[in-house]
Amino acid sequence: MMEAREKENSVKLKDYVTLINEYLSDKISVLDFEQRYLEMFKQDETLWTGEEFAVLNDLFSDLDAFCYDSTIRDSEDLDEPQLRNRAEIALEKLEKLLS
């Protein structure tokens, strides 16, 4: 049972890795990334390990704190360079979990 769950989680993690890579390689815009990641995460019913969930949830929180519009962004919000950095960190952690 555990092996099947690990395999399922691995497949699902790869979906997140693919999406993050699309953003970091500029194949999709930051706004597309934000919308797709938030939707993917909210609809995800996977039983993640604590470590997997922590990485995915941290990036979800980062996206929630992201504010595209600099005219309304406050000190608590993330701008795109900060979000990109957080996405790179999340990607690195997810790739380690998959290896």
Side-chain angles (χ1 to χ4, degrees):
M1 180 73 175
M2 190 63 154
E3 225 173 85
R5 181 177 147 201
E6 287 173 9
K7 192 175 280 190
E8 179 187 335
N9 285 17
S10 178
V11 169
K12 294 284 266 182
L13 279 181
K14 287 177 184 173
D15 291 341
Y16 284 96
V17 166
T18 298
L19 180 59
I20 296 166
N21 270 319
E22 286 178 3
Y23 165 58
L24 292 175
S25 63
D26 297 318
K27 290 186 177 144
I28 60 173
S29 72
V30 67
L31 296 177
D32 284 342
F33 173 62
E34 176 185 37
Q35 184 262 322
R36 289 172 56 190
Y37 189 94
L38 294 177
E39 187 175 302
M40 181 187 285
F41 187 80
K42 286 178 189 174
Q43 293 177 0
D44 194 336
E45 296 180 3
T46 307
L47 296 174
W48 297 111
T49 66
E51 194 174 5
E52 292 165 340
F53 181 77
V55 175
L56 296 172
N57 191 58
D58 284 352
L59 187 55
F60 177 85
S61 296
D62 292 335
L63 279 159
D64 193 44
F66 169 68
C67 181
Y68 184 77
D69 186 346
S70 62
T71 63
I72 61 170
R73 187 181 310 127
D74 66 31
S75 62
E76 302 296 311
D77 295 331
L78 297 179
D79 62 14
E80 187 173 0
Q82 291 169 314
L83 178 62
R84 185 171 283 273
N85 179 260
R86 305 279 178 92
E88 288 168 350
I89 291 167
L91 180 61
E92 192 175 298
K93 289 178 179 178
L94 292 175
E95 287 175 337
K96 280 184 186 170
L97 289 171
L98 285 168
S99 62

